[in-house]
Amino acid sequence: MRLNAKQIAACTGGSFIAEPLDARTLATGLTWDSRDVKPGDVYVALPGERVDGHDFVGAALRAGAVVALVMQPLDEAALLLAREMGAAVIEVPDTAHAVADLAREWRTHLRGRVIALTGSTGKTTTKNLVRDVLASTFTVAATAGNQNNELGVPKTLLTAEQDTQAVVVEMGMRGAGQIADLCDYVRPDWGLVVNVGESHIELLGSRENIARAKAELLCALPEGTGRAFVNADDDFAGFLRAHARLDARQVETVLFSAGCHPERAEADPLCHPERAKRVEGSPAAPAESAPAPAVWAERIELDEQGRPRFELHAAGFAPEEESAPCALNLRGLHNVGNACAAAAVGRASGIPLARCAEALEASEPEAGRQEVLAARGGFTVVNDAYNANPDSMRASLATFCALDVPGKHVAVLGDMGELGDFAPACHAGIGAFAATLPLERLVCVGELAALIADAAEGAGMDPGRIVRAGSISEVFGDLDVSVEPGDAVLVKASHFMGLERVVEGLVN
């Protein structure tokens, strides 16, 4: 971002309560945390239930903020400090909305391609893979961590320089219309839907409604020039294409698949025909459409650490089909599809497939997501405690059980949030799935997680291998006596459960 105070006031509908000393001074960054202010930043004073950002305007100005956005008058001391520092203070109707207003203005200055992505699971991992593939050839700005909400999305745009060649924006979603609102100012050139799962089903009521909400991204793509990247393995792939009217609007579809190119499904025994048919064979899928460009994986296998190795293929981007070997640092079969999605974006950007594969191999996992840690007690801890939904829980359990360790596989599972009336069935489904896996011990903590334990026992798991814990201290009480050197412990739950404390306790 490079905007002066007058531009900022104009695009946010604000008025000066302290004029800048030099109107030509450009703001070059933005934060709402006064502890993170760097010289040249815009400081945004956000009101909160426990902390009010207006109380820290003075600290932000001392740290070098050149503009402060506020919603209420400041005391004389803060105004005097602003004048002394030569900084501008601008009062706006709503500081949170002002962040989006700034992003809307800055978007008009960006020359590079804006690529947005969403999905029920794997958004952050896929965003990181897309970022790393594109960074092999282009200058890239991308969402930091999982800052994919109403504040994080505009901040991503504002981190890009005017001549940044690719901007990768991760979009979260909790309800219908939210992605459309984000797209109103992000104005994505390309859009990628990682998958349609059960995350946030509490608010949307069904997977079809979730698919409609995800499709808002594809509906926002520009007619004639946009590109939509769709997961051919997802049973809502055809629905997404039809709902967003991609063919009618001349928005090119690019498919990605952890199985194979859909057009070759019947001929190739390594492919998964039923998955592929969901794209072209769905009643909602476009009829008689031309074969779409695609990236897919073949000959997939896992190493002893659960990291996938496979042969990456691409077709439809050049006269001849391409292939390249690829071995990920990420764990789990589910990341093969995420890697294919990133390679599809890279190949559509003109990056050779071999270079895409090299970038995928170099990409590192995000902290707290299938993070493998060595504990002092001589056992392994797999930290996946950042968040959970039914899809990610199943993927995490399967990945964990593929981990080759000399000892036992122990899973510590907590409640999954935002499932509403579907919560009992979803937790029971995880229990039934866990019973099919080679888990020597299943520790369930939380009221809903008790349903995981009940269902696992009902599906035939030995009751002596199941622990129902009412608190984190009870988890430690069990693990202290049951975990031995050589074992591996998976920790997985929604973030509100606070099971990162279990990870910290086990590792240290």
Side-chain angles (χ1 to χ4, degrees):
M1 177 180 72
R2 294 185 180 276
L3 299 172
N4 63 43
K6 287 188 176 180
Q7 290 173 305
I8 291 170
C11 71
T12 59
S15 56
F16 287 102
I17 56 177
E19 295 274 353
L21 180 63
D22 185 349
R24 297 168 298 177
T25 299
L26 295 177
T28 55
L30 176 142
T31 184
W32 44 86
D33 189 334
S34 61
R35 298 166 297 183
D36 295 337
V37 171
K38 297 183 293 294
D41 275 354
V42 174
Y43 172 69
V44 183
L46 296 175
E49 293 181 3
R50 290 177 296 178
V51 177
D52 189 336
H54 292 84
D55 296 336
F56 303 96
V57 171
L61 295 173
R62 291 187 189 93
V66 294
V67 176
L69 294 178
V70 300
M71 292 171 55
Q72 62 192 42
L74 299 181
D75 58 39
E76 283 302 318
L79 290 176
L80 179 60
L81 178 62
R83 296 185 185 103
E84 289 176 354
M85 304 296 293
V89 178
I90 302 172
E91 187 172 358
V92 297
D94 187 300
T95 47
H97 291 168
V99 178
D101 292 334
L102 282 171
R104 187 189 308 276
E105 169 64 22
W106 185 240
R107 176 66 178 90
T108 66
H109 297 265
L110 296 179
R111 302 191 186 110
R113 179 177 293 129
V114 176
I115 303 161
L117 63 88
T118 189
S120 295
T121 59
K123 289 187 297 295
T124 299
T125 297
T126 305
K127 175 264 300 178
N128 290 346
L129 292 169
V130 170
R131 175 200 65 200
D132 294 345
V133 167
L134 293 177
S136 71
T137 304
F138 306 109
T139 56
V140 179
T143 301
N146 69 328
Q147 295 181 15
N148 57 28
N149 61 11
E150 293 84 352
L151 289 171
V153 168
K155 187 173 182 180
T156 299
L157 286 182
L158 292 166
T159 62
E161 296 291 341
Q162 193 170 8
D163 56 355
T164 297
Q165 293 170 298
V167 184
V168 184
V169 184
E170 179 184 338
M171 292 184 175
M173 181 275 297
R174 288 177 51 83
Q178 292 184 341
I179 289 178
D181 289 344
L182 297 175
C183 287
D184 184 56
Y185 61 83
V186 172
R187 291 172 30 227
D189 300 299
W190 292 1
L192 188 161
V193 179
V194 180
N195 48 41
V196 177
E198 296 172 319
S199 180
H200 307 307
I201 200 168
E202 172 188 14
L203 298 172
L204 289 157
S206 70
R207 281 190 68 212
E208 181 169 327
N209 286 340
I210 293 171
R212 292 179 189 278
K214 301 296 184 188
E216 292 171 11
L217 170 56
L218 305 185
C219 292
L221 299 178
E223 185 170 336
T225 61
R227 269 185 174 163
F229 297 81
V230 177
N231 185 349
D233 296 334
D234 196 292
D235 51 0
F236 276 91
F239 178 91
L240 292 172
R241 294 178 66 180
H243 185 75
R245 299 177 58 249
L246 298 180
D247 286 11
R249 296 192 301 115
Q250 297 181 307
V251 174
E252 182 178 39
T253 299
V254 180
L255 300 175
F256 59 92
S257 167
C260 68
H261 190 328
E263 302 301 328
R264 297 176 53 196
E266 298 294 346
D268 193 336
L270 292 173
C271 292
H272 304 281
E274 291 307 313
R275 289 182 182 176
K277 286 178 183 175
R278 290 173 189 163
V279 179
E280 302 299 341
S282 165
E288 304 299 327
S289 56
V295 170
W296 70 99
E298 294 182 5
R299 298 177 177 84
I300 305 167
E301 58 184 31
L302 296 176
D303 68 10
E304 67 280 356
Q305 294 295 312
R307 295 171 299 203
R309 295 189 296 250
F310 52 94
E311 195 173 85
L312 194 61
H313 288 259
F317 303 99
E320 297 181 0
E321 184 178 310
E322 300 172 272
S323 65
C326 187
L328 299 180
N329 271 323
L330 310 180
R331 289 169 171 81
L333 286 172
H334 59 286
N335 278 317
V336 176
N338 297 337
C340 289
V345 175
R347 195 63 198 87
S349 303
I351 302 173
L353 191 66
R355 191 184 301 169
C356 293
E358 290 174 0
L360 292 171
E361 291 184 342
S363 192
E364 296 291 338
E366 187 92 5
R369 299 167 191 266
Q370 284 288 323
E371 184 181 20
V372 178
L373 305 169
R376 291 182 179 178
F379 55 90
T380 299
V381 178
V382 179
N383 177 19
D384 207 0
Y386 185 81
N387 217 336
N389 59 51
D391 299 310
S392 68
M393 186 75 86
R394 282 188 288 268
S396 187
L397 283 166
T399 299
F400 173 66
C401 288
L403 194 66
D404 186 14
V405 295
K408 304 185 297 295
H409 287 83
V410 179
V412 179
L413 307 182
D415 293 358
M416 299 179 288
E418 299 181 334
L419 295 172
D421 293 339
F422 298 89
C426 288
H427 284 81
I430 296 302
F433 179 69
T436 68
L437 299 173
L439 287 171
E440 282 78 19
R441 199 162 191 82
L442 176 63
V443 181
C444 301
V445 54
E447 183 178 348
L448 289 170
L451 301 175
I452 298 177
D454 294 343
E457 184 174 345
M461 193 172 190
D462 181 358
R465 292 156 50 199
I466 302 172
V467 177
R468 296 167 176 82
S471 65
I472 288 178
S473 62
E474 289 183 30
V475 173
F476 283 128
D478 178 77
L479 297 181
D480 279 345
V481 297
S482 63
V483 174
E484 301 171 330
D487 291 351
V489 182
L490 168 69
V491 183
K492 179 75 172 172
S494 285
H495 189 59
F496 71 86
M497 290 295 293
L499 291 198
E500 63 274 5
R501 289 176 290 167
V502 173
V503 174
E504 294 167 1
L506 290 174
V507 170
N508 297 319

